[in-house]
Amino acid sequence: MKLDSKIPEGPLAEKWSKHKFNVKLVNPANKRKYDVIVVGTGLAGASAAASFGELGYNVKAFCFQDSPRRAHSIAAQGGINAAKNYQNDGDSIFRLFYDTIKGGDYRSREGNVYRLAEVSVDIIDQCVAQGVPFAREYGGLLANRSFGGAQVSRTFYARGQTGQQLLLGAYSALSRQVANGKVQLHSREEMVDLVMKDGKACGIVTRNLITGKVESHSAHAVVLATGGYGNVFFLSTNAMGSNVTAAWRAHKKGALFANPCFTQIHPTCIPVSGDHQSKLTLMSESLRNDGRVWVPKTKEDAEKIRKGELKPTDLPEDKRDYYLEIKYPSFGNLVPRDVASRNAKYVCDEGRGVAKTGLAVYLDFADAIKRDGRKVIEGKYGNLFDMYQQITGDDPYETPMMIYPAVHYTMGGLWVDYNLMTSIPGLYAIGEANFSDHGANRLGASALMQGLADGYFVIPYTIGDYLATLPYEKVSSDDDVFKKAEAETKDKIDKLLSIKGEKTVDDFHKALGHIMWEYCGMSRNGEGLKKAKQEIQTLKKEFWQNVKVIGGNDELNQSLEKANRVADFLELGELMIDDALDRTESCGGHFREESQTEEGEAKRKDDEFSYVSAWEYKGENTQEELHKEDLIFENVKLTQRSYK
């Protein structure tokens, strides 16, 4: 299989403009003759569905939540990047492009990343026009703040609830198209299979989560905007419903899965408090603008803090280790997420972690409050501080926050070309569901940027290039290919319900999460990965023999929902292990202990691994086949990533 990225020829800054001119167009009168399915209604899905409706296509939008407004994009806190240079501090489209390539440890395509930086400036204007209440400076201009991995302020924000406000903007645009009759909204319906005919995507099979009814929906093209797969680790900052099922079922039909081992561990999360937890809570990276990260210099002081014999506020400055500021003086506390996460792990491994578990570091706002006053800090982060206090019982205005890294975002996803089409004609993947823009590590505030870029400014252009080649008549949902897919879906559901084992779905999910975090988490090594592969294979076999799924199919059944999703997570987990085993270099969020510098930093092997890993499904319990897309760098020089 030859992977064609379809990156246009020519100078970097002209690629997207030329490509938009060269793609085929569907004239306005003919757009109403084409049907498009969009799965997922987060920022990528809602913006794409709204844009398709505005253009004149007939759209069906699906989400498993009771409302599109409940998509996980709502949980994003800190901001959205754009190269507008409002602060006049040296930002530019090329600098955003460069920071993103470097931040991803040189494992992403230049063409895709430059386009992302280029359209970022339009996103802000779009959202302001929708009424998104971005923070403003005293004179009324939009405010910016800094985020990790950059030395300029380019992040637009709405306190600590940027994702919510952006999603409400996209949802309002979507609702307008629903009211106009151009978008049919299907909530509480989950995609459980992709349907193909003659090698092309022609629709999906869904399960109604209230009634259990399995239904077919046909279209000329299918767009997956279903987010990431971080919940393979069980504990993550993702919503509990977030899953990989739509993408994974498409993968099993032939869509290549790219870079599955590239997982982002976010450094700023509320630490785990016990085995009872079902998810973790994110504290925005924006807090690192004003919060200083530190631990005690000695194990003895850390032990006293863990036992409650010493308060952090009583520890004098000369006994504190502000390790990020010392180790990375140029960036300080604003180093990228992978760097901050690994360093937090190092100091905790040394025995200098705080909290009762010893798995936490401090994020201290005392200096910022003293410098700017409490009201200023409240204005920037008030809702985040309130959330922290509600969860932990500690007041971060009075005592330092405790934070620790947690699984947050997945850079891997379905392989797509420059048009955002997967290896299956007619099937597209946008937002976090694809792999395309972030390489081995995503910079903060770039997820919202990519989701809206894909949905508002990329796929509305590129999907026409494919649709223009199709006849107006689509495959009927009564076709045999749909009937076969429905029957296979029902058989799988019946099998899950018939096992009647002794362990709950959550038991298996927690066991999988433990394996993944232990052996494929913040650091990996060959021996541990091989052990993890064996343990996952054993767990998967036990799942299909001993899982207990209560209830039936013809009702609201969350146990069955979870079982469907965990079955896919078990298979995905094994592929993530395979991908991590193959990539014997360290890059970004993928840290192989065998490949590190003397200072403990990630050590890439550009001569061996400057490629996208794209995996092809070969059948049940069969090793997947690896295909490689070589990464060509013509505009940046590959160097050891340094933030000192």
Side-chain angles (χ1 to χ4, degrees), residues 275 291 313 339 375 377 409 435 460 498 504 566 644:
D275 293 336
T313 50
V339 177
K375 280 193 174 181
I377 300 301
Y409 187 92
F435 86 100
S498 69
T504 68
V566 172
K644 295 181 179 182

Side-chain angles (χ1 to χ4, degrees), residues 321-337:
D321 180 8
Y322 295 94
Y323 57 90
L324 291 178
E325 297 174 23
I326 294 168
K327 197 171 180 180
Y328 308 98
S330 293
F331 282 74
N333 295 301
L334 288 174
V335 292
R337 292 174 176 178

Side-chain angles (χ1 to χ4, degrees), residues 197-478:
K197 185 165 187 178
D198 300 328
K200 297 178 180 179
C202 62
I204 63 173
V205 173
T206 63
R207 177 178 178 271
N208 186 302
L209 298 184
I210 304 299
T211 66
K213 186 178 180 182
V214 174
E215 295 180 302
S216 290
H217 301 270
S218 69
H220 293 90
V222 176
V223 179
L224 300 186
T226 49
Y229 48 88
N231 276 353
V232 69
F233 290 86
F234 186 70
L235 283 180
S236 81
T237 66
N238 292 182
M240 288 178 64
S242 298
N243 64 81
V244 76
T245 290
W248 190 253
R249 303 287 168 92
H251 173 57
K252 294 177 81 167
K253 287 295 178 72
L256 300 183
F257 210 105
N259 297 338
C261 79
F262 286 166
T263 306
Q264 177 161 85
I265 313 294
H266 197 295
T268 317
C269 300
I270 297 179
V272 176
S273 59
D275 293 336
H276 62 282
Q277 278 187 261
S278 55
K279 78 174 299 293
L280 297 171
T281 304
L282 173 70
M283 287 283 103
S284 169
E285 182 178 316
S286 63
L287 293 167
R288 292 197 279 148
N289 271 299
D290 290 298
R292 300 180 70 193
V293 179
W294 66 272
V295 290
K297 283 185 176 179
T298 66
K299 294 179 184 178
E300 291 74 22
D301 283 339
E303 180 69 21
K304 288 178 182 177
I305 287 175
R306 289 196 291 269
K307 289 180 178 178
E309 297 172 1
L310 181 67
K311 292 181 179 178
T313 50
D314 293 335
L315 199 66
E317 284 287 310
D318 61 352
K319 292 192 174 183
R320 300 181 181 190
D321 180 8
Y322 295 94
Y323 57 90
L324 291 178
E325 297 174 23
I326 294 168
K327 197 171 180 180
Y328 308 98
S330 293
F331 282 74
N333 295 301
L334 288 174
V335 292
R337 292 174 176 178
D338 58 324
V339 177
S341 294
R342 275 197 300 277
N343 279 276
K345 181 180 186 295
Y346 293 156
V347 294
C348 290
D349 288 349
E350 291 170 2
R352 295 191 289 138
V354 294
K356 291 179 181 178
T357 60
L359 298 177
V361 300
Y362 286 125
L363 185 61
D364 196 336
F365 291 87
D367 286 355
I369 292 170
K370 185 178 179 181
R371 180 187 69 235
D372 298 331
R374 175 167 171 155
K375 280 193 174 181
V376 171
I377 300 301
E378 281 180 353
K380 289 181 178 179
Y381 314 115
N383 62 310
L384 296 171
F385 278 42
D386 291 344
M387 185 164 65
Y388 181 88
Q389 186 168 7
Q390 290 284 336
I391 292 170
T392 67
D394 289 335
D395 182 355
Y397 292 105
E398 302 295 333
T399 188
M401 277 186 183
M402 287 188 291
I403 56 168
Y404 194 69
V407 172
H408 178 58
Y409 187 92
T410 49
M411 284 73 67
L414 293 180
W415 181 90
V416 292
D417 62 19
Y418 193 68
N419 291 326
L420 305 183
M421 188 189 286
T422 69
S423 51
I424 296 176
L427 176 68
Y428 294 80
I430 60 177
E432 193 180 356
N434 74 32
F435 86 100
S436 67
D437 291 356
H438 306 298
N441 173 62
R442 176 175 69 78
L443 292 183
S446 288
L448 306 186
M449 175 175 62
Q450 187 211 346
L452 291 180
D454 287 355
Y456 281 137
F457 296 106
V458 179
I459 199 163
Y461 286 98
T462 61
I463 200 169
D465 190 53
Y466 173 73
L467 293 175
T469 67
L470 299 182
Y472 300 134
E473 188 176 345
K474 64 180 180 179
V475 178
S476 169
S477 57
D478 292 326

Side-chain angles (χ1 to χ4, degrees), residues 499-517:
I499 296 170
K500 301 189 186 304
E502 296 178 352
K503 286 188 177 180
T504 68
V505 178
D506 275 355
D507 288 338
F508 284 99
H509 198 176
K510 286 179 180 178
L512 173 64
H514 177 75
I515 295 168
M516 295 300 296
W517 179 252

Side-chain angles (χ1 to χ4, degrees), residues 102-113:
K102 177 186 174 184
D105 225 346
Y106 306 94
R107 291 295 175 261
S108 48
R109 293 183 190 137
E110 283 190 342
N112 285 67
V113 175

Side-chain angles (χ1 to χ4, degrees), residues 151-215:
Q151 289 183 305
V152 296
S153 295
R154 63 163 66 102
T155 305
F156 295 78
Y157 62 98
R159 294 186 77 185
Q161 50 187 247
T162 314
Q164 180 186 39
Q165 298 302 327
L166 290 172
L167 186 58
L168 288 172
Y171 174 68
S172 67
L174 176 63
S175 297
R176 179 171 178 268
Q177 297 307 316
V178 172
N180 287 345
K182 295 306 295 179
V183 175
Q184 290 181 27
L185 195 56
H186 296 260
S187 57
R188 299 190 179 100
E189 284 197 44
E190 182 165 23
M191 173 182 160
V192 288
D193 209 354
L194 175 74
V195 183
M196 296 171 58
K197 185 165 187 178
D198 300 328
K200 297 178 180 179
C202 62
I204 63 173
V205 173
T206 63
R207 177 178 178 271
N208 186 302
L209 298 184
I210 304 299
T211 66
K213 186 178 180 182
V214 174
E215 295 180 302

